[in-house]
Amino acid sequence: MKKVLLLVSAAVIFAGCGGDQPKNFNDLTQGSPFIIGKKDYLNSPMVTAGDRVYMVGHQDGSFPELGWHLKGEMGGIWDHPIKLMDGFEISLTTNNDTLILNQAESFTNYPYANKHNFIWEDQQLIIERWQFVPDGKEGLGIQLLVKNQGSERKIGVSFTAASDLRPTWLGERTNMIDGNDIVIFNEEAQAYIFKDSLNPWFTVFGSNFSSIDHSNGLSDYEGNGITGSIDYSLHLAHNDTGLINFTIAGSYTSETEAWDTYESIQKNIEKDLTSKRLRYESLAQKSRLTIADKEIEQAFEWVKYNCDWLIRTVPEIGTGIGAGIPDYPWWFGVDSEYSLQGYMAVGQTEAVYSTIRLLDSVSNALNGNGRIIHEMSTNGSVYNKGNINETPQFASLIWKVYRWNGEIEFLQRYFPTVENGLDWLLNENDSNKNGFPDGYGMMEIHGMDSEMIDVAVYSQKAFQDASQMAMELGKDELSKRYDSIANLLKININEQFWSEEFNSYADFIGTDEQALLLIEAAIVRADTLHKPWAVSELQQTKKYILANPSSKPRPFVLHHNWVVNTPMEMKIAPYDIGIKALITAEKFVNPFGVFVTGIDRDESAGSDESSFKGSEIFSYTGAVMTLPTGVQIIAENNYGRPDQALNYLKRITRTFSYALPGSIYEVSPDYGMMTQAWNIYGFAVPIVEQFFGIQPDAAHKKVVIAPQMPSEWDDVSLENVQVGNNEISVFFSKEEGQTRVRVTQDKTDWTLEIQLPKRKNTSVDILSEKVKTSESETHYIFSTIGSELEVALVD
């Protein structure tokens, strides 16, 4: 049995909030966007996000044990690298009847806050529970609103907190040992404080009301936590609304800090909420999309909010984007390398710089050779020193960010890591010296660690990008060497990985022995999932290998993994081959997007719009995911197929708010992480860089706009796109045979260039002054230095 211990508190004592009557959160959030969730998903996760603290519970207001990374511990309230609480429970009592607020009638999500709605019909009460996390603070604010539609009465309110001061994942590696929690009630502060008995870990909770009673006891949750309850009383006349502001605050360093944060949130709860609302309004204005398809427009806006939800700050280590909530709240190499391209395109630059700084510093401290880490917990412990693809993808990320910010100091700072990483890539990971590094890429399937298609493709792109970086830095000979390697890799990938039989790039190049082992495992997988077509195809491949053995490594198409589409994502496939591969890829989709592993698809996939049925033990088997679908959107655009790209974008958008209002799940439509960082890759990169065609060159104060619009986008705009210290806006319209493009910018000393494809029997109408014109084989080119450039093509 657990023992309840008492802590002798050394709290900083302070008076209650006092002052004016607290404001209703409904008033403070007036005018903000919101989305009401589905009743069918009330018993599913939600998140109240913040950079220091976040809370995970269910949309019905309950806090079940959930998550697999730390089994049953990924929910509750986290202040990384520790957890503060498993959750809390609010109950109301009136007329000898009690209602526990854990079965909400509805859930409403705002970009920066959320609300649970309860109706107690028998007692004629309408109740709202709001919560938000103030920026930069180790705590959260909760507001309870109780509207009395009945007769005058007293209502008892009880707030019960379940502490769980415990370490993050891999805490044991840094000697974070979980002790029993102890508790004391501070009479003057009218608040409880919990402490871990072995560590300086603290949680404080209370409200702006004086209590009428308090108690503590054992917790029903697993772990070493305990509970504390504080009781209050409301006296409400008919149609009166009672309001209580609760505060939860924590610290993993000192009790004084916990109390300071508690006091700060209590005193500034309205100011903090307003400040966060205004900041989110500014996020919405960056790269603001206006199109007729309001579903895509809304999803794009909210994915920008989702990006901010995932920023994780642990001051002793750094700030960076987490991969996903609830099970991946810490930092990853490759997730960031995809995601940050999208963050940059929507102007969330500080998250980009801090994440790159964190990945670079930790990778260099741990590996010291340019290799980029894969996964690091919030206590600084690295789980995986880095998969092979993460090192070249870091190089390409640095080049992409430089194109957007134009800061030569940025390039100078990170190019040594790029240079070291590319040396490590080929010198230590290419055993047969054919230019294709060996080892795991994006597909974490056991045995797929030979020469993987995605590793080869991302390596080629890295050398191509590094060549341009070297040129910018005046390293001409190095630039030529990298360019030579990139060109050779491009030729060899297209010659050695392409399979004419399958009209697809191979999953990998390996030995017959490696392939046969993978085939056996794949047959078991396909048979278990009842995919007879895949079993038959794999058996035929096995038969061919045995009948035609090879002593040398060769390409194999086995799983139809999504990574076979990376040559089109990076635009290194020849056009005719790229089109064939894109058509082949259309087989491995469902209404929500692209399968991670193509052999998991069956004939019903094309029309199956139901919930994803995951396995009892967390697994991605059978999954359709947003990243493969995002890659496919970019790939289609690269080969001049924006309508097909839009089709895939609509598939992802179909999953928006499917389960959690305002978010897109990692596994489509409703499995895995309830919000995922790399979702922005599949929205921002194709919308900003491809549909609107914004090609930044901030270092040379130039922006090229080469729009490639889907046929149904005939009156669209993208405003306030940040490029360096400049902002540009693009307006595109098609009407009665006229295509018009107008671009505006803040800086009048930058060059604007519009490129429009040539069409037969078309005249050019230049609607701005001092415009230079030229032509390539395929495009008309217009440029000017000034605040605006507008041109039209008339059929």
Side-chain angles (χ1 to χ4, degrees):
M1 179 177 289
K2 298 176 185 175
K3 294 181 179 179
V4 180
L5 304 175
L6 292 180
L7 165 69
V8 177
S9 176
V12 177
I13 306 301
F14 55 89
C17 289
D20 297 332
Q21 180 69 21
K23 291 183 180 177
N24 186 316
F25 279 11
N26 286 291
D27 296 331
L28 294 173
T29 58
Q30 193 70 32
S32 292
F34 64 87
I35 301 176
I36 299 172
K38 302 174 183 175
K39 283 192 176 294
D40 289 347
Y41 281 90
L42 283 170
N43 189 30
S44 73
M46 50 72 66
V47 60
T48 308
D51 55 347
R52 295 299 307 275
V53 161
Y54 65 89
M55 181 179 83
V56 171
H58 270 195
Q59 295 177 42
D60 60 11
S62 65
F63 289 91
E65 294 177 312
L66 56 81
W68 62 268
H69 231 124
L70 288 168
K71 186 172 173 55
E73 294 286 1
M74 300 308 294
I77 301 170
W78 280 88
D79 177 13
H80 281 281
I82 67 167
K83 188 175 185 178
L84 301 179
M85 287 186 182
D86 283 319
F88 58 83
E89 181 178 277
I90 300 175
S91 62
L92 305 184
T93 301
T94 187
N95 297 327
N96 296 316
D97 198 1
T98 298
L99 176 70
I100 299 173
L101 302 184
N102 60 5
Q103 295 184 30
E105 294 287 330
S106 65
F107 172 76
T108 305
N109 216 3
Y110 289 75
Y112 52 88
N114 29 55
K115 176 177 66 171
H116 310 268
N117 303 276
F118 304 86
I119 299 175
W120 195 0
E121 289 186 5
D122 291 347
Q123 298 297 334
Q124 295 180 284
L125 295 176
I126 297 175
I127 305 117
E128 296 178 358
R129 191 194 96 194
W130 288 81
Q131 56 264 327
F132 84 103
V133 177
D135 287 335
K137 294 185 179 181
E138 293 176 87
L140 68 152
I142 301 157
Q143 185 173 91
L144 180 71
L145 294 170
V146 182
K147 182 171 184 179
N148 178 25
Q149 295 185 317
S151 58
E152 183 175 353
R153 95 277 297 276
K154 285 185 177 180
I155 301 169
V157 177
S158 180
F159 189 105
T160 301
S163 75
D164 189 8
L165 289 156
R166 59 147 301 140
T168 187
W169 180 57
L170 305 182
E172 69 281 358
R173 292 189 179 182
T174 53
N175 298 314
M176 297 177 74
I177 307 303
D178 186 17
N180 290 322
D181 291 356
I182 54 181
V183 63
I184 191 171
F185 185 76
N186 185 294
E187 292 286 354
E188 292 191 54
Q190 292 287 287
Y192 263 117
I193 181 165
F194 299 103
K195 180 188 183 297
D196 182 277
S197 58
L198 299 180
N199 301 279
W201 305 340
F202 299 88
T203 303
V204 180
F205 83 93
S207 82
N208 60 329
F209 264 47
S210 294
S211 67
I212 59 172
D213 199 4
H214 60 270
S215 61
N216 54 57
L218 303 178
S219 174
D220 292 332
Y221 291 94
E222 292 292 323
N224 297 328
I226 52 178
T227 66
S229 296
I230 306 179
D231 299 333
Y232 308 92
S233 180
L234 292 171
H235 188 124
L236 299 180
H238 175 66
N239 276 339
D240 273 359
T241 297
L243 183 159
I244 303 178
N245 285 332
F246 300 98
T247 298
I248 297 171
S251 173
Y252 50 84
T253 57
S254 79
E255 183 176 354
T256 299
E257 282 196 6
W259 282 110
D260 286 347
T261 300
Y262 177 80
E263 181 179 9
S264 175
I265 295 174
Q266 275 280 11
K267 287 184 174 180
N268 299 290
I269 192 166
E270 296 164 8
K271 179 181 175 182
D272 287 344
L273 180 59
T274 300
S275 174
K276 191 161 188 174
R277 174 178 62 80
L278 293 173
R279 190 173 65 79
Y280 269 72
E281 288 175 0
S282 71
L283 294 180
Q285 293 304 308
K286 294 280 190 180
S287 299
R288 188 177 74 235
L289 177 69
T290 304
I291 56 176
D293 187 331
K294 295 306 174 185
E295 291 180 355
I296 290 178
E297 182 181 310
Q298 184 187 47
F300 183 47
E301 177 183 337
W302 277 79
V303 169
K304 290 187 283 185
Y305 303 145
N306 300 162
C307 287
D308 194 76
W309 295 358
L310 290 161
I311 295 171
R312 182 70 41 240
T313 295
V314 180
E316 296 81 1
I317 297 172
T319 296
I321 63 167
I325 292 174
D327 277 286
Y328 300 117
W330 35 77
W331 306 296
F332 286 76
V334 73
D335 297 68
S336 299
E337 289 157 355
Y338 286 111
S339 307
L340 295 180
Q341 297 180 59
Y343 276 70
M344 207 67 193
V346 298
Q348 295 187 27
T349 56
E350 287 308 310
V352 175
Y353 301 144
S354 62
T355 306
I356 289 174
R357 185 162 54 246
L358 178 63
L359 292 174
D360 179 71
S361 62
V362 173
S363 297
N364 281 319
L366 181 71
N367 296 323
N369 54 6
R371 181 183 184 181
I372 301 300
I373 63 166
H374 174 64
E375 182 176 10
M376 178 175 66
S377 187
T378 50
N379 64 335
S381 181
V382 173
Y383 178 71
N384 178 339
K385 289 185 174 183
N387 294 329
I388 303 301
N389 61 297
E390 287 166 294
T391 295
Q393 286 186 260
F394 183 80
S396 292
L397 172 64
I398 297 304
W399 176 241
K400 174 67 76 72
V401 172
Y402 175 68
R403 297 288 291 175
W404 280 101
N405 71 14
E407 296 173 7
I408 195 68
E409 298 82 7
F410 175 86
L411 207 57
Q412 290 168 337
R413 177 172 183 173
Y414 294 111
F415 189 73
T417 300
V418 170
E419 191 173 358
N420 290 337
L422 295 181
D423 286 346
W424 170 81
L425 192 67
L426 293 187
N427 294 338
E428 298 186 35
N429 298 281
D430 182 19
S431 57
N432 60 5
K433 302 303 177 185
N434 66 349
F436 300 147
D438 313 294
Y440 283 105
M442 286 299 295
M443 298 307 303
E444 295 177 338
I445 295 175
H446 181 70
M448 297 201 75
D449 58 350
S450 54
E451 294 173 350
M452 309 304 302
I453 180 63
D454 56 319
V455 172
V457 170
Y458 290 138
S459 296
Q460 190 279 337
K461 185 66 165 65
F463 280 105
Q464 178 182 315
D465 292 339
S467 173
Q468 296 181 83
M469 285 187 271
M471 184 67 72
E472 287 286 302
L473 295 171
K475 300 175 181 288
D476 294 354
E477 291 305 312
L478 184 61
S479 175
K480 291 176 184 176
R481 184 166 75 85
Y482 284 162
D483 186 58
S484 176
I485 294 171
N487 290 334
L488 184 60
L489 275 173
K490 182 177 179 179
I491 292 169
N492 289 342
I493 288 168
N494 287 310
E495 287 182 352
Q496 298 180 40
F497 275 93
W498 177 251
S499 169
E500 195 67 35
E501 177 188 358
F502 286 96
N503 274 332
S504 171
Y505 284 90
D507 293 295
F508 66 97
I509 291 175
T511 65
D512 287 3
E513 182 183 10
Q514 287 172 316
L516 290 169
L517 286 172
L518 285 166
I519 286 172
E520 290 301 323
I523 287 173
V524 171
R525 175 181 179 142
D527 189 50
T528 302
L529 293 174
H530 308 294
K531 315 294 182 188
W533 74 267
V535 173
S536 175
E537 182 180 286
L538 290 162
Q539 288 173 336
Q540 288 297 317
T541 301
K542 176 182 176 181
K543 183 177 178 181
Y544 176 84
I545 293 170
L546 293 173
N548 302 276
S550 173
S551 59
K552 296 181 179 180
R554 52 178 167 169
F556 294 99
V557 178
L558 299 185
H559 296 88
H560 300 285
N561 290 318
W562 68 268
V563 293
V564 301
N565 299 310
T566 54
M568 286 73 71
E569 177 200 14
M570 295 293 103
K571 205 176 180 180
I572 65 169
Y575 181 79
D576 57 336
I577 286 177
I579 296 297
K580 288 180 182 178
L582 291 172
I583 292 171
T584 298
E586 293 172 0
K587 300 176 184 177
F588 304 109
V589 303
N590 78 0
F592 301 118
V594 177
F595 279 87
V596 174
T597 297
I599 60 171
D600 294 346
R601 183 201 181 278
D602 60 22
E603 293 307 314
S604 71
S607 58
D608 184 6
E609 296 190 30
S610 62
S611 169
F612 180 79
K613 304 298 188 295
S615 57
E616 217 170 281
I617 299 173
F618 187 84
S619 167
Y620 291 112
T621 300
V624 165
M625 292 178 70
T626 53
L627 178 63
T629 310
V631 164
Q632 209 62 18
I633 297 168
I634 291 164
E636 290 285 7
N637 273 325
N638 281 339
Y639 288 80
R641 290 158 51 104
D643 285 345
Q644 288 86 344
L646 181 61
N647 178 279
Y648 283 110
L649 183 59
K650 288 182 176 181
R651 291 173 192 259
I652 293 184
T653 303
R654 202 169 283 145
T655 73
F656 174 69
S657 292
Y658 191 100
L660 175 63
S663 188
I664 294 174
Y665 265 67
E666 169 199 23
V667 176
S668 305
D670 58 358
Y671 187 72
M673 304 307 102
M674 69 179 112
T675 191
Q676 184 78 13
W678 61 35
N679 294 341
I680 191 66
Y681 182 68
F683 275 83
V685 172
I687 289 173
V688 176
E689 299 182 23
Q690 294 182 312
F691 290 159
F692 282 88
I694 295 174
Q695 301 169 17
D697 184 8
H700 303 101
K701 295 186 176 181
K702 180 178 179 180
V703 184
V704 174
I705 297 90
Q708 183 181 232
M709 291 295 177
S711 57
E712 63 187 71
W713 284 23
D714 53 14
D715 187 10
V716 298
S717 65
L718 187 68
E719 299 174 77
N720 311 319
V721 180
Q722 184 176 338
V723 184
N725 64 351
N726 197 5
E727 276 195 358
I728 71 162
S729 298
V730 181
F731 305 86
F732 177 95
S733 63
K734 288 186 301 183
E735 187 178 11
E736 298 179 353
Q738 183 182 86
T739 299
R740 182 176 294 218
V741 181
R742 180 168 67 92
V743 184
T744 64
Q745 65 176 349
D746 288 350
K747 301 295 182 183
T748 58
D749 59 341
W750 283 48
T751 299
L752 292 175
E753 179 176 295
I754 294 176
Q755 298 181 1
L756 295 176
K758 289 181 177 177
R759 299 197 300 261
K760 289 184 178 180
N761 303 317
T762 298
S763 63
V764 175
D765 192 0
I766 300 173
L767 304 170
S768 299
E769 297 179 354
K770 298 179 181 180
V771 176
K772 294 181 180 179
T773 63
S774 60
E775 296 182 18
S776 68
E777 288 187 11
T778 57
H779 285 78
Y780 299 110
I781 301 171
F782 313 91
S783 65
T784 190
I785 297 175
S787 61
E788 181 175 299
L789 176 60
E790 184 173 8
V791 298
L793 296 183
V794 182
D795 292 333

